[in-house]
Amino acid sequence: MKQRPRRSKIRLKGLIYMRSVLIGLIWLLVSIGAVQAQTLQSILQTHAEEVAKPSRTSVEVLLDSLTQSDLPQVPKFLESWAERNVWQEKSSGGFFIATAADDMLTLQDVDTGVETTALPNDYIQIRPNGGVRRMIGLALVQFQLSEPDPVRRRAALDSIARRGDAEQLAPLIASLEGEDDPALLKRKQELVIFLTARFGDTAQARISALKALSGYTSVEARAVLNQTLATTSGVAPQAPAGNIARIIDPTDDPQSRYAQLVAADLAPAIVTPAEIRAALEANVVEGRAGGIPIAQLGRDSLRTQAYTALSDAGLVPPLVTPQAIDAALAKHVFYEVYNETDSSITGAARATLDSIETRVGWAQTLDLGLDGLSLASIYFLAAIGLAITFGQMGVINMAHGEFIMMGAYTGYVVQLVIPDYTVSLIVALPLAFIVTFGAGVALERLVIRYLYHRPLETLLATFGISIALQQLAKNIFGTQARPLTSPDWLGGALVISDVIQISYIRIAIFVLALIFLLLLLYILNRTRLGLEVRAVTQNRGMAASMGINPDRINMLTFGLGSGIAGVAGVGIGLYAQVTSEMGAGYIVQSFMTVVVGGVGSVFGTLAGAGLIGFLQKGIEWLNPSNTLAAQTYMILFIILFIQFRPKGIVAPKGRAAAD
């Protein structure tokens, strides 16, 4: 009988326990249902005020809720919100993605995407300001970093690169694990280093990232280092405590340093002449200012004297003399202090930046050398034909540039017939040689053969022919530049590093110049034509007595030089504009190349092209804003060079040397 109450208590406790479990299950089911029923619209309605009238202080709560919701429609809404394409219905307060057109709104439900149309009078456009849009962009990046589309992931990385923020570091690191694109993974790892160097949690993490930047030479890496080494200038009676970047000598620029003292309220402002005049006008008493009659105040010295008298009487601020300026500068310390307070971080950044700048300097030197080599290749191509006609034959052909122009136009015409740029280029090179070879033979047979050993008449005749050829090209092709399009495989550039790169077209021109160098050397040294050319060049009479026809050799030599100029025109046309005047831009450089290198020598032409190309690029590097001045300095240098070495780099032989 006494055990019944105990059993009742146990039964009661069991019922209570079962009730608690049941309540918990019911709450769990309700919670799951609530989560499943959660929509983007419901979240927006919970934070309706933050959506409709967002501010930087209030929008963070909404963005956190959207980020934690894991709803797939959130990224699209954030993009539309940032682009001001979100509208709110006046009556219900609901939010829609909308676009306006023809006085109507095309509304899209933020959850289902169902589209409807409505009048804009019933809706209010949400216009977040720039600060809010920036915060939306930061939140949007977190979604985009894990997007399935690699293009959107790339866009997110570009956004981080443009506007790096400490809040982007954690999601960026989290996205590394799932990245399957090697290029994007490399870019993410690079941005992690950049952001860690700026916003790392610990000094050691930042220092490690800064040291890792020594492997980069990009502008982005140097920008990160420069941001870490950013300074603020200041002035004080004595050097302040802190991470001082440098102490400035005020005597280097005393005027601006004294202005800095005035801005810091550490020295009186300098009284300007206009202020002196105004002060004198305000203190005129009985026709005098500072004790000096007004009629005498036209002189600076008397105005200064009158103002000094007023200053001594305490009526105006005192004048600041040069001695007072020097004394004020000597009593104060001018300095620059790092914005970063940790000296170990700035020390690591400075060491890394110095290392990068050294590497960048060497890379820029190499890049400048490649530019010079590229320009030398162009000049060599333009001058190699002239090296034959002028160097071997002694003929001053002022129409040589027009043969280059004819070759370029031949390539243009071939591309009109053959739309495949690779095939057209293969066809254009030999065809340009044939066309200009024939034109050169015709010019030699009709004009040049009658003017040998008469250089002035040859110069005038070929100059007139060059003008006629230019006008003929204008009549046929017009005055506008014509495109000579390179194949796709010649597009772009060979990127060796962030600093060193060279276009594929320039590489192709260099290869073409090398091929012509080897081909010309082979023709002159290993063929019967070359042997006969050298024989006629060295001794025309002896060559004729050996059965060689000098007139035929002259014709073929002139045609060969002209044909090479035509092929050079195709190569140059891929790089420069094809116009009727394009040859005139290379005739002066071609003659300088031949003369400086040594008349009659192929290797001399190569040396002259190298000297002029590297010299011009070097002068342009020293004075990049004025290419005309660079060409002028180059010509002056060449004139001086010829004064000391009139026969050129490689001494000429044969008829040209005798002339």
Side-chain angles (χ1 to χ4, degrees):
M1 297 295 295
K2 293 181 179 180
Q3 293 180 353
R4 289 182 179 177
R6 184 178 179 182
R7 292 179 179 176
S8 300
K9 290 181 179 179
I10 293 175
R11 186 177 299 172
L12 181 60
K13 289 182 179 180
L15 292 173
I16 293 174
Y17 177 76
M18 292 178 62
R19 179 186 175 188
S20 300
V21 172
L22 183 60
I23 292 174
L25 290 173
I26 294 173
W27 177 255
L28 180 61
L29 292 174
V30 171
S31 300
I32 293 174
V35 171
Q36 291 177 346
Q38 186 184 44
T39 62
L40 177 56
Q41 188 68 252
S42 64
I43 297 175
L44 298 179
Q45 291 303 316
T46 304
H47 303 277
E49 185 67 23
E50 288 83 357
V51 181
K53 298 180 180 179
S55 64
R56 295 190 62 182
T57 56
S58 63
V59 77
E60 291 185 6
V61 178
L62 170 60
L63 293 176
D64 290 340
S65 299
L66 293 175
T67 304
Q68 296 170 6
S69 68
D70 293 331
L71 293 173
Q73 57 267 39
V74 170
K76 182 178 181 180
F77 172 79
L78 291 177
E79 290 179 357
S80 302
W81 193 19
E83 294 171 359
R84 299 177 178 176
N85 289 332
V86 173
W87 294 63
Q88 184 181 26
E89 190 176 14
K90 295 179 181 179
S91 58
S92 65
F95 295 97
F96 297 87
I97 298 173
T99 54
D102 299 329
D103 297 329
M104 292 292 291
L105 283 180
T106 301
L107 302 173
Q108 190 177 99
D109 189 277
V110 294
D111 287 300
T112 63
V114 176
E115 291 188 354
T116 57
T117 57
L119 294 173
N121 296 335
D122 299 331
Y123 294 83
I124 301 174
Q125 185 179 12
I126 309 301
R127 297 176 177 270
N129 58 35
V132 173
R133 294 171 67 187
R134 181 176 180 274
M135 297 185 69
I136 295 173
L138 293 176
L140 186 59
V141 164
Q142 300 181 24
F143 291 95
Q144 293 174 336
L145 286 173
S146 302
E147 283 277 354
D149 187 359
V151 176
R152 295 179 66 84
R153 297 203 302 275
R154 170 67 69 178
L157 295 178
D158 293 340
S159 177
I160 293 176
R162 289 192 301 269
R163 296 183 297 272
D165 192 273
E167 297 179 359
Q168 297 169 337
L169 181 57
L172 184 60
I173 294 175
S175 68
L176 292 175
E177 185 176 354
E179 183 57 64
D180 55 357
D181 189 314
L184 291 181
L185 179 60
K186 181 180 179 181
R187 181 57 172 163
K188 285 184 177 181
Q189 293 171 340
E190 184 179 80
L191 290 176
V192 166
I193 295 175
F194 292 167
L195 294 182
T196 304
R198 294 182 58 191
F199 310 113
D201 295 334
T202 64
Q204 187 57 43
R206 295 185 62 187
I207 291 173
S208 298
L210 289 169
K211 291 181 179 179
L213 287 176
S214 60
Y216 297 88
T217 57
S218 64
V219 176
E220 281 184 313
R222 282 176 278 169
V224 170
L225 293 169
N226 287 323
Q227 289 168 346
T228 307
L229 296 172
T231 60
T232 301
S233 60
V235 59
Q238 58 186 5
N243 193 6
I244 302 297
R246 69 185 181 108
I247 301 297
I248 302 172
D249 184 3
T251 59
D252 293 340
D253 190 2
Q255 294 296 328
S256 63
R257 296 305 168 192
Y258 188 80
Q260 189 176 350
L261 283 176
V262 174
D265 292 331
L266 295 175
I270 297 176
V271 183
T272 64
E275 292 173 338
I276 292 176
R277 184 180 183 89
L280 294 177
E281 292 175 353
N283 289 276
V284 175
V285 179
E286 296 180 356
R288 293 174 176 268
I292 298 177
I294 296 176
Q296 300 179 12
L297 292 178
R299 297 167 57 186
D300 292 340
S301 59
L302 290 178
R303 283 200 298 270
T304 302
Q305 180 179 344
Y307 187 89
T308 303
L310 294 175
S311 176
D312 294 339
L315 298 175
V316 294
L319 285 173
V320 180
T321 63
Q323 294 78 11
I325 292 176
D326 294 339
L329 295 178
K331 291 179 181 179
H332 294 86
V333 177
F334 297 84
Y335 60 88
E336 287 183 354
V337 61
Y338 287 116
N339 297 337
E340 172 59 53
T341 57
D342 193 330
S343 59
S344 62
I345 293 177
T346 54
R350 172 52 60 190
T352 302
L353 184 59
D354 291 342
S355 173
I356 290 177
E357 287 180 344
T358 301
R359 293 171 56 203
V360 168
W362 285 108
Q364 288 177 338
T365 302
L366 180 58
D367 186 62
L368 184 65
L370 290 176
D371 286 344
L373 182 63
S374 172
L375 187 61
S377 302
I378 295 173
Y379 286 162
F380 179 77
L381 270 180
I384 189 63
L386 192 65
I388 297 175
T389 57
F390 179 56
Q392 300 290 339
M393 301 177 61
V395 175
I396 302 176
N397 180 18
M398 295 301 294
H400 177 77
E402 278 54 54
F403 288 112
I404 295 176
M405 176 263 293
M406 290 171 63
Y409 273 120
T410 300
Y412 166 70
V413 172
V414 170
Q415 284 193 347
L416 293 180
V417 178
I418 305 176
D420 189 307
Y421 295 141
T422 300
V423 177
S424 64
L425 181 61
I426 296 174
V427 174
L429 289 173
L431 185 61
F433 179 85
I434 294 173
V435 170
T436 51
F437 178 86
V441 169
L443 178 61
E444 196 277 337
R445 290 288 88 186
L446 297 176
V447 179
I448 302 298
R449 65 179 299 187
Y450 303 107
L451 301 176
Y452 285 127
H453 306 295
R454 297 161 62 184
L456 181 60
E457 287 86 344
T458 305
L459 186 150
L460 293 175
T462 55
F463 181 72
I465 292 172
S466 71
I467 296 176
L469 291 175
Q470 287 185 26
Q471 187 59 48
L472 180 63
K474 290 179 181 178
N475 294 338
I476 297 175
F477 299 102
T479 57
Q480 294 183 345
R482 300 297 177 179
L484 186 54
T485 307
S486 61
D488 293 337
W489 51 273
L490 285 179
L494 175 63
V495 179
I496 301 174
S497 69
D498 297 304
V499 180
I500 306 172
Q501 56 182 342
I502 183 170
S503 64
Y504 288 120
I505 290 181
R506 292 196 172 199
I507 296 176
I509 291 176
F510 172 77
V511 173
L512 187 63
L514 184 62
I515 291 173
F516 269 101
L517 172 64
L518 298 176
L519 183 62
L520 190 59
L521 289 175
Y522 177 79
I523 291 174
L524 293 178
N525 297 318
R526 301 295 181 184
T527 65
R528 180 178 180 83
L529 175 62
L531 179 64
E532 293 178 348
V533 167
R534 287 186 287 122
V536 172
T537 300
Q538 294 176 9
N539 194 318
R540 181 185 179 91
M542 183 64 70
S545 66
M546 298 296 294
I548 299 174
N549 186 347
D551 290 338
R552 174 179 171 275
I553 296 302
N554 285 337
M555 178 189 69
L556 293 178
T557 303
F558 197 88
L560 177 63
S562 302
I564 293 176
V567 177
V570 177
I572 294 173
L574 296 174
Y575 171 76
Q577 290 185 334
V578 179
T579 63
S580 59
E581 293 89 3
M582 66 174 295
Y586 290 95
I587 187 64
V588 176
Q589 283 87 349
S590 298
F591 271 107
M592 287 194 301
T593 299
V594 174
V595 172
V596 169
V599 178
S601 172
V602 176
F603 286 108
T605 304
L606 179 63
L611 176 63
I612 294 176
F614 283 102
L615 179 64
Q616 181 170 334
K617 282 299 178 181
I619 297 175
E620 288 179 0
W621 180 77
L622 295 174
N623 188 14
S625 61
N626 194 340
T627 56
L628 181 61
Q631 293 180 358
T632 303
Y633 296 145
M634 180 186 66
I635 293 174
L636 292 176
F637 175 83
I638 291 173
I639 292 174
L640 292 175
F641 177 83
I642 293 175
Q643 296 298 318
F644 291 98
R645 194 172 179 85
K647 293 185 178 181
I649 299 175
V650 180
K653 298 178 182 180
R655 187 191 312 168
D659 293 340

